[in-house]
Amino acid sequence: MSLDAMPPAAGAAPAPAGSGSRALLKVEDLQVLFPIYKGLLRRQVGSVRAVDGLSFEVRKGETLGLVGESGCGKSTTGRAILRLTDITGGRVELDGVDVAALEGGELRRMRRRMQMIFQDPHASLNPRMTVASIIAEPLDEHMALGRKARQARVGELMDAVGLREDFASRYPHEFSGGQRQRIGIARALALDPDFIVCDEPIAALDVSIQAQVVNLLEDLQKKLGLTYLFISHDLSMVRHLASRVAVMYLGKIVELATREQLYASPRHPYTQALLSAVPSPDPAREASRERVILTGDVPSPANPPSGCRFRTRCPVAQPRCAAEVPEFRKLEDGRQVACHFAE
Amino acid sequence: MLTYTIRRLAFAVPTLLVISFLIFGILDLAPSDPTAQLPLTIPPEVREKIRLSLGLGDPFIVRYFKWLVQFMVNEPLNILEQWTGWTIGDGERLRVLSWQTRSPVVDLIVQRMPQTLWVVGMSYVVGIVIAIPIGVISAYRQYSWFDQFGTLFSMVGFSIPTFFTGLLFIVIFSVTLGWLPSIYDTTLVVEDWDSFVAQVKQMIMPTMVLGLYNASQLSRFMRASVLDNLNQDYVRTARAKGMTEKVVLLIHVLRNSMIPVVTVIALNLPQVFGGAIITEQIFRVNGLGQLLIGAIEGGDIPTVQTLTFIFAVLIVVFNLIADVLYGILDPRIRYD
Amino acid sequence: MRLRNLLSATAAAAALGALAGPALAERGADGQVNIIYWQAVSILNPYLSGGTKDVEGASLVLEPLARYDETGTMVPWLVEEIPTVENGGVSEDLMSITWKLKPGLKWSDGSDVTAADAVFTADYCMDETGGCQQVANYADVASVEAVDDLTIKITFTVPKPVPYGPFVGAQSPILQAAQFADCKGAKAPECTDANFGPIGTGPYVVAEFKPNDVVVYEANPHYREADKPAFGSVLLKGGGDAVSAARSVMETGEFDYAWNMQVEPEILAQMEARGIGKVISAYGTSVERFEVNMTNPDPDLGDLRSTVEGGPHPFLTDPKVTRALSMAIDREILVEAGYGAAGQVTCNVLPAPDLFNSTANDWCKTPDVDGANALLDEAGWVVGSDGVREKDGVKLSLLYQTSTNSVRQGTQALIKQMWQEIGVETELRNISGSVFFGGDPSSPDTFQKLYADVEMFTNNFDGTDPEKYMANWRCSEIPSPKNNWLGGNNPRFCSEEYDALVQTLAGTAKIEERAEIAKQLNDMLMESGAIIPLIHRGRVAAMANTIEGHAMNPWDSELWDIASWSRAK
């Protein structure tokens, strides 16, 4: 079933997120550290600063893109927000509720409102459960539905993601990658969440399938008024989907701006380097594209550089960068950048 | 799956024939003599006559085919007759006779099977019952004190041989405390509460000795398997769905972790029938293991041959069962 | 102590003389006695298995006409008296013997015991195709006939000064003709029911038998002595090892009697200290000895290795060398380390009965290292630079083999050291018992092939007459490829004088004369150095302190007097 065949969204889809709409998710100074143990007695000798002081907001109905190289802490951020990884510090507010402080039953109840679509559609589905039980399991846990109602809901969800209902009794391994990701999406939608973290949902798919899944995500957003945090390393896909984009480097956000601002005039040297690597579909622009080649490797998050974390690879680094941590400051045009020299 | 099973079974026939020939050949080449255990007062000429009366005068290949016919044709026909009450042929068939007892080997096996199944089988059950929780908790709380203790437990259990633990148990529970019998009473018939208690008492030590050994192996397997699954994305999915930790662990993780463990258990099951030679010997349980070791010591080749061949059959069959089980448990696997 | 009545003339009474007292007992009054044999009983027909455990397991049920008591004296069992030339039971020409059954004997199924049963038993065992393991007891039998219901006449093909082979001792009991009628010859092994539950005349009948595991016996209702046995049932459990069997009697008390305690003496002493049970022993004819190869075992000889054709041994045929080897051994140390109550020093290969025990070789009882050294010096063996004696380029270096068993390996190590002190180099070798004692002619490691210089093991003989035993060392008994390595003369000792003396023994009837000849034979073997005796080994058992009425018997089944066993109150 193609996406075009989907019925037009019932009810008014919320207007594309403007700067005025209310923040659904508020992240303040989020920190995730993984302890490192060494030696015979497994003493803690340090920690990996996977996410180190993130602050941002996601507004209701918008899609915030979160980009960065692999290992920069994007996925950890996504998991931390959903509390799938232990948070070391900071606040995560979803609709005014501090998710970071919730425990046990309260946290589980919050999961109705926030969900995740995983990168690997193969590994993220329990191989011993049928599609129907994968989708229905959260329904049983969180809603008291009768057998019929549950069946109907499963059908409805499968229909919504473009899967035939008679696939319900099959096992995940019987599907293709794209179909499996649709199952994953249906599963995420089952509890009618407001907020979904899409953790590189298309990275493991064939290019030909990627567009279908992205379109499905967009359609669902319009139809159901979903809010996405879209994590990806694929800048062009983020450009297509996101209304605002945050760029991460080594556990920190270096630049946060609207899509238009970011792609048109990146301010942070790292963002500039990233964007220069993206080929342009316009041959004229492509010919004039100047690539900024970053030298050196990404430093270890267990032992990040002092001052600005990007300074070891930054083409414009100054002695000041080693001494001072750049403030994550708001520029005049509303974007936020963590660089001493950004104007 | 059915065609697969049938094909595998068909392949098993020539394999087993070759195995039976090899076993027979090895036993024939091995220097053993059915008269070696007799007192030296029996003179050499008499020994030679005894050997001839046991059929050792025939050439190797003749003896092999005699055994093959006795075991593959006569014994099954006999069993068929006993089950159905029919008479096939004249009913005068030569059965595989043990040289030690001069009685049919199959009857000896039938007599000893229940003890082996009870004691060794129960030890497997005990092992599984102990191993699964230890494995799951160890993995779930990796590197906790419980995990460290579990690791120690399995290292100790695995590295200390059963003849030592058996002896230790006897010294503690039989000699010092006097709680449990050190010798298994094979004539005990369970008919009332008291005899049931006696049966349980005499089963405790052999079962626990073997059970702890099995548990230490299985718990490592279980731990590794659970650890493997705990880091899988689908477990994260389950948590994201807002399932309780109990459901995540028992439904998602445990079920998937059991797939390799169940097949390991199935593959090890022939050992149950093989009995635990040492443990049965220590506690004098009249199981198959004891029968085998006694037959080896006594140079009782027909018994050794028949037992080892039955073990070979069981290994082949349980390998197949393990594969089929894998196919049933893991929907990703299909044999066609 | 429990008292019992005695039928004054019976053999059982003779055995129990010390316990004689007024009648008081009742059959089955003492419940069950638990016996443990660490080798389990496989079959209850001693004619189909000569294994000690099987013979003794059957001895509770099957009985011979006469047997040996604890002193080695033959006592009438199912007969009125022992036939002798004096009482006319043995013919003057020594060609026949006539036994008279006690009247009124019953099988455990209630039928009468007759002479026909004995005739059948002899036929059963002498059948060529049956593989009877006790056929040696029927050697030289021409015929066995029933003169009347109670009279059995055995005729021999040669004069038999000791005609007590058939139907004497636990190895040769009477079977019931009716039960085994269809089990003769090739059909013998197929009669599983009969072989597992023979009908006998003994104090017990088989109630349950699990081969290679356990036998349960119940008192025989037709047993000839109304008040016996005192134990209503016997449990004979098998399997495991000797140490744990000893433990079950002397430490946990689960069992009352354990057979054949081949256990290190200090372990037994420790267990005995608990005070539940005790170690009992008795000495028969078992001797742990060296058999010394008189032929050359040099591997270079190929097929002629260790054969008479291969030539004599380079130095072991010199009695001075073998005597020095014997003198160097401190046998007391060997006893202390490995045998305890189960062994004593001996200088004869024929140490018992007392009448047959020579004193000519007692010099070996005291070790004499200096004497041994002097003897070797005298014989021209000079100590070389490596401490090993040599003469004409030949070194005094021995390959010493035995079966695998912890006591034997301990003994090997001790003797190696003792021989080192007289400049003899020793290479040790041990071979699994099933190979060593198994007569596989294709194996190079059997004790008959003796591809070594010396070998150590134990041998003995049934009953009290050594004629057959001493005949082992005749020239004709030398194992060689010609007789497929069958033969009991492992040292390859060969002396015309010895052979002639054996012949004389076979023709001598008077016991004192026989003893004299047997001693001479023994001394000839000792002097030639073909055999170096080490230890006179006893039967050792562990018995609960509560068991009474048992006399340890090295000459017959250990359970020969089980009808008289009782439990102390």
Side-chain angles (χ1 to χ4, degrees), chain C residues 298-328:
Chain C
D298 187 348
D300 295 341
L301 290 172
D303 285 348
L304 295 179
R305 192 180 183 190
S306 287
T307 62
V308 177
E309 292 75 21
H313 195 279
F315 52 83
L316 288 174
T317 45
D318 180 355
K320 281 185 181 144
V321 173
T322 47
R323 186 169 176 129
L325 290 176
S326 180
M327 285 163 79

Side-chain angles (χ1 to χ4, degrees), chain C residues 114-315:
Chain C
T114 68
D117 290 311
V119 173
F120 172 82
T121 304
D123 280 355
Y124 177 86
C125 187
M126 293 193 306
D127 192 301
E128 278 295 309
T129 51
C132 173
Q133 308 206 350
Q134 307 296 355
V135 73
N137 289 311
Y138 295 87
D140 304 325
V141 171
S143 69
V144 179
E145 43 195 318
V147 178
D148 59 48
D149 266 2
L150 298 179
T151 313
I152 305 146
K153 185 179 177 199
I154 306 165
T155 314
F156 297 98
T157 52
V158 292
K160 279 265 168 184
V162 185
Y164 308 115
F167 315 128
V168 178
Q171 285 82 5
S172 183
I174 309 284
L175 297 177
Q176 191 196 39
Q179 190 185 19
F180 284 89
D182 291 333
C183 307
K184 273 183 12 184
K187 282 184 148 176
E190 288 173 43
C191 288
T192 305
D193 288 344
N195 294 334
F196 281 5
I199 293 169
T201 54
Y204 290 97
V205 293
V206 180
E208 189 184 356
F209 178 43
K210 294 187 172 168
N212 286 345
D213 176 33
V214 71
V215 198
V216 180
Y217 305 88
E218 271 161 17
N220 173 3
H222 295 282
Y223 189 56
R224 53 191 176 276
E225 292 177 66
D227 57 341
K228 288 180 179 178
F231 287 107
S233 59
V234 177
L235 179 94
L236 181 60
K237 173 83 180 174
D241 59 297
V243 178
S244 61
R247 185 180 298 120
S248 70
V249 172
M250 298 195 290
E251 289 200 314
T252 67
E254 289 164 83
F255 281 77
D256 298 308
Y257 191 88
W259 157 90
N260 196 4
M261 296 290 86
Q262 284 181 1
V263 179
E264 273 75 3
E266 71 262 30
I267 297 179
L268 282 183
Q270 216 176 351
M271 290 181 178
E272 211 173 359
R274 279 180 82 103
I276 301 177
K278 55 180 178 270
V279 176
I280 52 175
S281 59
Y283 289 87
T285 59
S286 293
V287 171
E288 180 89 359
R289 85 288 295 282
F290 276 118
E291 303 217 332
V292 178
N293 197 345
M294 296 281 122
T295 60
N296 195 345
D298 187 348
D300 295 341
L301 290 172
D303 285 348
L304 295 179
R305 192 180 183 190
S306 287
T307 62
V308 177
E309 292 75 21
H313 195 279
F315 52 83

Side-chain angles (χ1 to χ4, degrees), chain B residues 28-54 92-95 97-104 107-108 111-112 115 167 170-171 173-178 180-189 280-287 290-291 294-300 303, chain C residues 36-39 41-43 48-54 128-136 171 187-192 195-196 208-216 235 237-242 244-245 247-248 251-252 254-255 274 433-435 437-441 443 447-448 457-462 472 477 484-488:
Chain B
D28 190 64
L29 289 175
S32 87
D33 177 10
T35 67
Q37 276 200 329
L38 297 180
L40 290 179
T41 49
I42 292 180
E45 317 82 74
V46 177
R47 286 167 192 265
E48 190 56 25
K49 272 191 196 150
I50 293 168
R51 279 192 281 268
L52 290 179
S53 78
L54 294 174
E92 284 276 307
R93 274 184 296 273
L94 211 55
R95 306 184 60 185
L97 290 185
S98 151
W99 286 348
Q100 276 183 311
T101 69
R102 301 303 185 90
S103 65
D107 292 357
L108 292 178
Q111 190 177 60
R112 277 157 181 270
Q115 285 75 253
L167 209 62
I170 288 178
V171 168
F173 296 107
S174 297
V175 178
T176 311
L177 298 172
L180 303 168
S182 69
I183 290 172
Y184 193 91
D185 178 3
T186 49
T187 59
L188 184 73
V189 181
E280 287 188 352
Q281 186 79 346
I282 291 176
F283 294 101
R284 295 177 168 82
V285 180
N286 62 335
Q290 205 200 31
L291 182 66
I296 291 171
E297 280 173 355
D300 186 354
T303 307
Chain C
I36 188 155
Y37 271 44
W38 54 268
Q39 285 182 343
V41 178
S42 300
I43 184 169
L48 291 186
S49 170
T52 312
K53 61 203 172 76
D54 302 321
E128 278 295 309
T129 51
C132 173
Q133 308 206 350
Q134 307 296 355
V135 73
Q171 285 82 5
K187 282 184 148 176
E190 288 173 43
C191 288
T192 305
N195 294 334
F196 281 5
E208 189 184 356
F209 178 43
K210 294 187 172 168
N212 286 345
D213 176 33
V214 71
V215 198
V216 180
L235 179 94
K237 173 83 180 174
D241 59 297
S244 61
R247 185 180 298 120
S248 70
E251 289 200 314
T252 67
E254 289 164 83
F255 281 77
R274 279 180 82 103
S434 60
V435 176
F437 296 117
D440 185 355
S443 165
F447 74 133
Q448 286 108 334
F457 63 95
T458 289
N459 202 349
N460 69 319
F461 58 94
D462 288 334
N472 269 328
E477 291 298 308
N484 214 11
W485 301 97
L486 299 175

Side-chain angles (χ1 to χ4, degrees), chain A residues 42 79 82 84-85 108 111 114-116 118-120 122-129 133-135 137-138 141-142 171 173 187 191, chain B residues 143 148 232-245 247 251-259 329-334:
Chain A
R42 301 189 54 77
R79 288 175 195 167
L82 295 190
L84 293 174
T85 257
R108 280 196 295 112
R111 297 214 184 279
M114 49 187 201
Q115 277 296 332
M116 185 151 183
F118 292 94
Q119 173 174 5
D120 184 345
H122 189 74
S124 62
L125 302 174
N126 189 335
R128 289 187 63 189
M129 289 171 102
S133 45
I134 288 172
I135 298 175
E137 199 187 19
E141 183 68 24
H142 297 281
Y171 288 94
H173 69 94
R187 198 271 312 148
L191 291 172
Chain B
Y143 302 130
Q148 311 284 9
Q232 295 281 327
D233 273 353
Y234 73 83
V235 176
R236 204 170 281 125
T237 307
R239 291 216 174 97
K241 281 176 183 176
M243 313 312 291
T244 58
E245 278 306 290
V247 174
I251 307 287
H252 291 261
V253 176
L254 189 62
R255 277 199 192 165
N256 279 287
S257 309
M258 284 307 285
I259 297 174
L329 290 177
D330 191 338
R332 285 170 294 186
I333 288 172
R334 283 286 171 272

